[in-house]
Amino acid sequence: MAQPHQTQQLPLTLSQEGLDPPQVIFLDAVGTLFGVRGSVGEVYRDFTRQQTGIELDAEATNTAFYEAFDAAPPAEFPELITQKKPGSFLLEQEFNWWLAIAQDTFSRLGVLVQFPDFQNFFEHLFAYFATADPWIIYPDVRPTLRHWRQQGIELGIVSNFDSRLYTVVDSLDLAQFFTSVTISTRVGAAKPNPQVWYSALAAHNCPPEAAWHIGDSYREDVEGAIAAGLRGIWLNRP
């Protein structure tokens, strides 16, 4: 079984450290390729103020969001895959999953009752996160992706995001680098479940031992990838 490798920026010369170049490199999305501009709390604060005039404390909002996020079930809907439901059912499930987290977040802040129509407000917030505006690409990303593509290495994304990821990656002008984008909600399994990597590997006709996965979560990205037979690389950004 492959051992984890740790780095504080996207690796450019891992082959010089005794690692053979892979056929495919998979990367996590949020926290690896791009992150929230500032913090979730700051984005929520600014968006809420602009849309409703309700004032939030950014730090408290950030804490409440991650508490709600950690308490939520995995973003995976295997019953939709099994039942072969239309895509509209999946999009509705994704929206409702995030709606529950947002309601929990604002409830923890004690301001949920101040919204006359919270679902309508959240529809706009949900759509906002499908644009490029709340995101920032880490400076090491583009040079690294270009370097790998020049080496002939295939690239893919494996993420526990949702279907908005396609739009976000495209709006950030990153889609050009990737052959595949594998999302937990569309596979019916979320990292660290190995099944999400098996689906991604199938898209490249690649055996696990010929692939790397890089991500910022040790449990989800590194341990999950290793369990699936890939080399897991921890991107431990400062």
Side-chain angles (χ1 to χ4, degrees):
M1 181 177 292
Q3 296 300 309
H5 182 98
Q6 180 176 349
T7 183
Q8 290 188 331
Q9 61 181 5
L10 282 180
L12 294 172
T13 56
L14 285 181
S15 60
Q16 296 178 7
E17 299 178 36
L19 301 179
D20 294 329
Q23 175 186 332
V24 181
I25 296 177
F26 295 112
L27 298 106
D28 172 51
V30 181
T32 299
L33 294 172
F34 53 88
V36 176
R37 190 180 298 276
S39 71
V40 174
E42 291 172 357
V43 174
Y44 271 39
R45 177 199 61 195
D46 296 343
F47 189 88
T48 302
R49 176 190 294 149
Q50 180 184 38
Q51 294 291 317
T52 69
I54 296 172
E55 290 290 339
L56 302 176
D57 178 85
E59 185 174 349
T61 303
N62 203 59
T63 299
F65 170 81
Y66 282 106
E67 288 175 349
F69 184 85
D70 290 342
E76 55 184 12
F77 314 112
E79 67 281 0
L80 297 184
I81 307 300
T82 302
Q83 298 170 14
K84 298 182 179 179
K85 293 282 189 179
S88 58
F89 282 86
L90 174 61
L91 298 178
E92 182 179 354
Q93 286 278 68
E94 291 177 339
F95 176 85
N96 288 336
W97 189 85
W98 282 108
L99 174 61
I101 291 176
Q103 288 174 326
D104 190 7
T105 298
F106 284 83
S107 178
R108 290 170 186 267
L109 294 169
V111 298
L112 186 60
V113 294
Q114 296 182 34
F115 291 82
D117 187 347
F118 186 81
Q119 180 160 331
N120 178 263
F121 161 78
F122 181 70
E123 286 175 358
H124 291 86
L125 180 61
F126 187 79
Y128 180 63
F129 274 93
T131 71
D133 291 346
W135 306 107
I136 184 169
I137 303 173
Y138 298 114
D140 55 356
V141 167
R142 291 187 191 279
T144 302
L145 298 180
R146 292 193 191 99
H147 175 76
W148 282 331
R149 288 302 301 268
Q150 290 169 358
Q151 290 183 312
I153 298 173
E154 298 174 40
L155 302 177
I157 294 175
V158 177
S159 172
N160 284 355
F161 203 71
D162 58 67
S163 298
R164 291 174 296 172
L165 182 60
Y166 300 118
T167 304
V168 172
V169 169
D170 187 58
S171 64
L172 293 175
D173 197 27
L174 293 176
Q176 59 181 305
F177 296 107
F178 296 99
T179 304
S180 68
V181 177
T182 304
I183 302 172
S184 63
T185 56
R186 291 183 172 263
V187 174
K191 297 180 297 184
N193 189 329
Q195 186 58 47
V196 71
W197 282 284
Y198 297 153
S199 179
L201 289 164
H204 293 262
N205 192 27
C206 177
E209 61 272 15
W212 296 352
H213 177 82
I214 301 172
D216 66 302
S217 170
Y218 192 86
R219 175 179 174 270
E220 293 182 356
D221 294 304
V222 179
E223 293 182 345
I226 291 174
L230 291 76
R231 177 174 291 279
I233 298 174
W234 186 24
L235 184 61
N236 185 20
R237 293 189 180 280

